[in-house]
Amino acid sequence: MKKSTTLIVVVSLLLAMSGCVQVSDVKESDIKTGDYNWLTANQLKQLFTKKTVTSINSSGTESKTYYHSSKGKVTQLRDGKTRKGFWRVTKKKDGSGRICLKMEGGKEQCRAIAKINGKYFKFVVKKNGQHKKVVSYKKFESGKKLCSPCIYKKF
């Protein structure tokens, strides 16, 4: 067996054993079909309000932790540094929701969240209906639990 083939087999086995789910980019029309379930505005509020949320980007290289207050404020902890901002949830005509974040010094960005095979993922919403997965959520905890040393674990 060639080295490249062996490497692919080993990596595939490691991913399978780790429980990682391969999630491709999806279309808005996939809502509530198969294992895709786009969250509604009410579901998003329930999932994020008064929660500390740990996420990792789609390439697996950057972890962030956020606390979403019930008053629309958000605190982000990344690389030992804290940033402040605001968050809100919007509702689309089809009933799906978007979580919107505006961090200090930045513009507001709204994203769709889907529950896929029991895990949550954030998608950039594309006008052509083809959304791009940008974040996997690893943990949702009740209350404000932002502390530098306790969040930096390799995923």
Side-chain angles (χ1 to χ4, degrees):
M1 198 182 286
K2 292 182 180 180
K3 284 184 180 182
S4 61
T5 305
T6 304
L7 179 61
I8 290 169
V9 169
V10 169
V11 169
S12 297
L13 286 171
L14 287 173
L15 286 172
M17 292 185 319
S18 71
C20 291
V21 177
Q22 180 65 36
V23 177
S24 61
D25 296 342
V26 297
K27 293 180 181 174
E28 188 91 19
S29 59
D30 290 333
I31 188 166
K32 294 185 180 174
T33 60
D35 291 325
Y36 294 85
N37 186 15
W38 297 101
L39 300 187
T40 65
N42 287 338
Q43 289 171 322
L44 288 170
K45 287 176 188 172
Q46 194 171 32
L47 186 62
F48 286 90
T49 302
K50 293 185 179 181
K51 301 279 178 53
T52 299
V53 180
T54 303
S55 65
I56 189 162
N57 65 359
S58 59
S59 62
T61 59
E62 184 177 53
S63 175
K64 297 177 187 176
T65 300
Y66 296 86
Y67 174 72
H68 301 80
S69 82
S70 60
K71 301 204 185 279
K73 294 182 180 181
V74 65
T75 305
Q76 177 194 73
L77 184 61
R78 179 177 72 183
D79 296 329
K81 296 179 182 162
T82 302
R83 288 176 48 194
K84 303 271 185 193
F86 298 94
W87 78 286
R88 67 186 180 107
V89 171
T90 62
K91 184 177 179 180
K92 303 293 285 178
K93 289 178 188 175
D94 65 4
S96 65
R98 301 285 187 268
I99 186 165
C100 303
L101 295 176
K102 182 182 183 322
M103 301 307 292
E104 56 193 4
K107 65 179 188 171
E108 183 178 66
Q109 297 180 347
C110 298
R111 305 289 188 244
I113 308 291
K115 187 174 184 181
I116 305 168
N117 296 324
K119 297 183 181 193
Y120 295 96
F121 299 90
K122 184 191 291 186
F123 290 83
V124 170
V125 178
K126 300 287 187 174
K127 288 183 180 180
N128 66 2
Q130 188 76 23
H131 301 336
K132 180 171 178 55
K133 180 180 63 109
V134 291
V135 166
S136 301
Y137 289 102
K138 297 299 178 188
K139 190 177 356 175
F140 292 85
E141 296 180 275
S142 293
K144 190 172 185 177
K145 300 182 179 171
L146 294 176
C147 57
S148 245
C150 65
I151 66 163
Y152 292 102
K153 299 176 186 162
K154 297 270 183 185
F155 291 105

